Protein backbone atom coordinates (compact mmCIF):
# COMPACT_ATOMS: atom_id res chain seq x y z
CA UNK A 1 0.00 0.00 0.00
CA UNK A 2 1.30 3.46 -0.89
CA UNK A 3 2.04 5.41 2.32
CA UNK A 4 1.43 8.71 0.55
CA UNK A 5 -2.30 8.17 0.29
CA UNK A 6 -4.31 11.23 1.36
CA UNK A 7 -6.40 9.34 3.93
CA UNK A 8 -3.21 8.52 5.86
CA UNK A 9 -2.29 12.18 6.16
CA UNK A 10 -5.84 13.03 7.23
CA UNK A 11 -5.85 10.31 9.90
CA UNK A 12 -2.37 11.37 11.05
CA UNK A 13 -3.49 15.01 11.39
CA UNK A 14 -6.50 13.87 13.41
CA UNK A 15 -4.29 11.81 15.73
CA UNK A 16 -1.96 14.78 16.30
CA UNK A 17 -4.95 16.99 17.16
CA UNK A 18 -6.04 14.41 19.73
CA UNK A 19 -2.53 14.17 21.19
CA UNK A 20 -2.35 17.96 21.46
CA UNK A 21 -5.72 18.11 23.23
CA UNK A 22 -7.58 19.93 20.45
CA UNK A 23 -9.86 16.96 19.71
CA UNK A 24 -11.18 13.93 21.53
CA UNK A 25 -10.61 10.32 20.65
CA UNK A 26 -7.98 7.60 20.81
CA UNK A 27 -4.86 8.88 19.08
CA UNK A 28 -2.65 5.86 19.70
CA UNK A 29 -5.13 3.53 18.00
CA UNK A 30 -4.92 5.70 14.89
CA UNK A 31 -1.12 5.96 15.12
CA UNK A 32 -0.76 2.18 15.51
CA UNK A 33 -2.99 1.54 12.49
CA UNK A 34 -0.90 3.93 10.38
CA UNK A 35 2.34 2.41 11.70
CA UNK A 36 1.20 -1.09 10.69
CA UNK A 37 0.80 0.26 7.17
CA UNK A 38 4.36 1.65 7.25
CA UNK A 39 3.48 5.35 7.47
CA UNK A 40 6.83 6.85 8.53
CA UNK A 41 5.54 9.88 10.50
CA UNK A 42 3.33 7.54 12.55
CA UNK A 43 6.30 5.25 13.23
CA UNK A 44 8.18 8.27 14.55
CA UNK A 45 5.34 9.30 16.89
CA UNK A 46 4.73 5.75 18.09
CA UNK A 47 8.39 5.46 19.10
CA UNK A 48 7.66 7.80 22.03
CA UNK A 49 5.13 5.35 23.50
CA UNK A 50 6.94 2.02 23.33
CA UNK A 51 9.99 0.49 25.08
CA UNK A 52 13.41 1.62 23.88
CA UNK A 53 14.24 -1.52 21.86
CA UNK A 54 10.94 -1.30 19.98
CA UNK A 55 11.41 2.45 19.48
CA UNK A 56 14.78 1.85 17.85
CA UNK A 57 13.24 -0.66 15.43
CA UNK A 58 10.43 1.75 14.56
CA UNK A 59 12.81 4.66 14.02
CA UNK A 60 15.12 2.54 11.86
CA UNK A 61 12.17 1.47 9.75
CA UNK A 62 10.97 5.04 9.26
CA UNK A 63 14.51 6.27 8.54
CA UNK A 64 14.89 3.62 5.82
CA UNK A 65 11.72 5.03 4.27
CA UNK A 66 13.48 8.42 4.06
CA UNK A 67 11.82 10.16 7.02
CA UNK A 68 14.38 12.76 8.15
CA UNK A 69 12.93 13.36 11.63
CA UNK A 70 13.03 9.64 12.41
CA UNK A 71 16.63 9.36 11.26
CA UNK A 72 17.61 12.23 13.54
CA UNK A 73 15.55 10.88 16.45
CA UNK A 74 17.32 7.53 16.07
CA UNK A 75 20.66 9.31 16.43
CA UNK A 76 19.44 11.16 19.53
CA UNK A 77 18.15 7.91 21.04
CA UNK A 78 21.64 6.47 20.75
CA UNK A 79 23.17 9.65 22.18
CA UNK A 80 20.83 9.58 25.19
CA UNK A 81 21.76 5.94 25.72
CA UNK A 82 25.46 6.84 25.74
CA UNK A 83 26.31 4.88 22.57
CA UNK A 84 28.54 7.39 20.79
CA UNK A 85 29.52 5.05 17.96
CA UNK A 86 25.95 4.36 16.90
CA UNK A 87 25.06 8.01 17.51
CA UNK A 88 27.69 9.16 15.04
CA UNK A 89 26.75 6.51 12.46
CA UNK A 90 23.03 7.33 12.74
CA UNK A 91 23.79 11.05 12.60
CA UNK A 92 25.76 10.51 9.40
CA UNK A 93 22.75 8.75 7.86
CA UNK A 94 20.42 11.49 9.11
CA UNK A 95 22.73 14.13 7.60
CA UNK A 96 21.90 12.76 4.15
CA UNK A 97 18.24 13.66 4.72
CA UNK A 98 18.29 16.76 6.92
CA UNK A 99 20.40 19.96 6.77
CA UNK A 100 20.20 20.44 10.55
CA UNK A 101 21.61 16.97 11.14
CA UNK A 102 24.30 17.72 8.54
CA UNK A 103 25.31 20.81 10.52
CA UNK A 104 25.35 18.85 13.78
CA UNK A 105 27.57 16.22 12.16
CA UNK A 106 29.98 18.93 10.98
CA UNK A 107 30.34 20.17 14.55
CA UNK A 108 30.39 16.66 16.05
CA UNK A 109 31.32 16.66 19.70
CA UNK A 110 31.61 14.07 22.41
CA UNK A 111 30.79 16.29 25.40
CA UNK A 112 27.41 17.93 25.95
CA UNK A 113 26.05 20.59 28.32
CA UNK A 114 22.89 18.59 29.09
CA UNK A 115 22.71 17.17 32.61
CA UNK A 116 21.42 13.82 31.30
CA UNK A 117 24.90 13.20 29.87
CA UNK A 118 26.49 13.10 33.35
CA UNK A 119 25.53 9.46 33.81
CA UNK A 120 27.34 8.59 30.55
CA UNK A 121 30.42 10.60 31.53
CA UNK A 122 29.80 12.87 28.56
CA UNK A 123 29.00 16.06 30.47
CA UNK A 124 30.81 19.12 29.16
CA UNK A 125 33.08 20.74 31.77
CA UNK A 126 32.05 24.13 33.15
CA UNK A 127 33.62 26.98 31.22
CA UNK A 128 33.00 29.69 33.82
Amino acid sequence: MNPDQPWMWTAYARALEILEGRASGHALAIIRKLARRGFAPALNVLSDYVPKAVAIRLLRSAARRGHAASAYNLAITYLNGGDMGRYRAALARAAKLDPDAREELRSFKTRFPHEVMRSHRRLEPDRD
Side-chain angles (χ1 to χ4, degrees):
M1 183 173 283
N2 184 358
D4 292 326
Q5 292 184 2
W7 74 267
M8 289 185 173
W9 284 105
T10 304
Y12 179 69
R14 169 89 174 133
L16 290 182
E17 286 179 1
I18 294 167
L19 287 173
E20 293 168 357
R22 294 189 311 226
S24 61
H26 299 286
L28 287 181
I30 298 168
I31 294 295
R32 284 188 184 107
K33 180 178 180 178
L34 292 170
R36 281 192 302 272
R37 286 172 169 71
F39 190 64
L43 292 168
N44 188 46
V45 171
L46 187 58
S47 72
D48 290 338
Y49 298 94
V50 295
K52 183 179 175 184
V54 176
I56 288 172
R57 283 197 308 269
L58 292 172
L59 291 170
R60 278 185 191 152
S61 176
R64 277 190 301 250
R65 288 174 166 77
H67 191 251
S70 295
Y72 183 74
N73 287 344
L74 178 61
I76 297 304
T77 299
Y78 287 134
L79 172 65
N80 290 340
D83 190 340
M84 297 304 287
R86 286 186 176 156
Y87 163 62
R88 182 151 191 176
L91 188 60
R93 287 189 297 275
K96 295 176 184 174
L97 302 170
D98 181 27
D100 292 335
R102 194 172 309 124
E103 186 59 36
E104 187 170 331
L105 183 62
R106 270 193 215 113
S107 63
F108 182 78
K109 56 187 176 181
T110 59
R111 302 283 176 198
F112 300 88
H114 317 295
E115 189 61 32
V116 70
M117 299 312 286
R118 181 181 303 280
S119 64
H120 303 298
R121 297 185 180 151
R122 295 284 177 197
L123 187 64
E124 192 173 76
D126 288 335
R127 297 187 189 251
D128 296 332

